[in-house]
């Protein structure tokens, strides 16, 4: 099983970037299994397709 937790948002503009903050908190505070990847997707959009491909589950955090 391959899981991606993807935090998206813009920390520089008016978006509060809660998705990015969630991803950072998960990576810093928890020891996750090897099959779980946490990624700060920022505002990358279509550039994230390769990172999402082949995953069994995708969890996107955004506001």
């Amino acid at each position: 099983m391959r899981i991606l937790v993807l935090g998206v948002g813009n920390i520089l503009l008016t978006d509060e970037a809660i998705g990015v903050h969630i991803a950072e908190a998960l990576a810093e505070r928890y020891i996750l299994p090897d099959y779980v990847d946490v990624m700060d997707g920022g505002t990358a959009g279509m550039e994230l397709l390769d990172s999402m491909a082949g995953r069994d589950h995708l969890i996107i955090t955004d506001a």
Side-chain angles (χ1 to χ4, degrees), residues 14-60:
T14 58
D15 181 346
E16 73 286 337
I18 191 69
V20 173
H21 294 297
I22 289 171
E24 289 174 354
L26 279 173
E28 291 173 4
R29 297 179 187 176
Y30 297 96
I31 298 172
L32 300 171
D34 291 336
Y35 58 86
V36 177
D37 294 321
V38 178
M39 182 178 175
D40 171 357
T43 59
M46 297 299 285
E47 293 86 14
L48 298 171
L49 288 176
D50 285 338
S51 298
M52 294 186 287
R55 304 293 178 149
D56 297 305
H57 300 283
L58 173 64
I59 301 168
I60 301 175

